[in-house]
Amino acid sequence: MTTATPSRFTLELEFATLLASPAYLSHLATSKVLSSPPFIAYLRYLLYWTQPPYTQYLAYPGPTLKALEMLQREDFRREILRPEVLDRWAEGLIRGSLENTEGV
């Protein structure tokens, strides 16, 4: 039995969606991948998700796009290692999610 290999689009969508998770950002930071030049270039490449033809596919567009934006900044990639910064980031995502559901 063979299984289909996911398309590049699917893999990149899944990865971009993971960026909305503070726990996953913490994992990336502690694994030191956020200081890797090839990974930083990949994050720049992923900015195509900010374009309208692609944003419609994101499960969590607000947090995903904010994470992509912030990960372009060297200071954020360095500071996300600090637990208090990660906590503030998570709180901001929760606050944003709650504000977006008011009146629903």
Side-chain angles (χ1 to χ4, degrees):
M1 178 176 179
T2 61
T3 56
T5 302
S7 69
R8 182 175 179 160
F9 176 84
T10 300
L11 292 173
E12 290 177 358
L13 173 60
E14 289 176 3
F15 180 76
T17 300
L18 281 171
L19 296 177
S21 166
Y24 190 65
L25 289 181
S26 175
H27 166 73
L28 292 175
T30 57
S31 68
K32 308 277 191 239
V33 72
L34 293 179
S35 59
S36 163
F39 189 77
I40 294 166
Y42 183 64
L43 290 171
R44 271 193 309 275
Y45 162 76
L46 289 176
L47 286 172
Y48 76 86
W49 287 104
T50 65
Q51 302 303 309
Y54 300 100
T55 56
Q56 67 181 327
Y57 296 103
L58 296 171
Y60 309 103
T64 300
L65 296 176
K66 186 64 178 175
L68 265 174
E69 172 192 335
M70 296 301 289
L71 286 166
Q72 304 305 311
R73 296 177 33 193
E74 181 180 355
D75 61 329
F76 181 77
R77 293 191 307 268
R78 188 176 50 249
E79 293 295 315
I80 200 70
L81 273 166
R82 296 178 34 217
E84 63 272 15
V85 172
L86 187 64
D87 289 346
R88 278 197 316 269
W89 176 257
E91 288 171 13
L93 292 178
I94 291 168
R95 227 181 354 268
S97 294
L98 292 175
E99 289 169 4
N100 290 333
T101 59
E102 288 179 9
V104 173

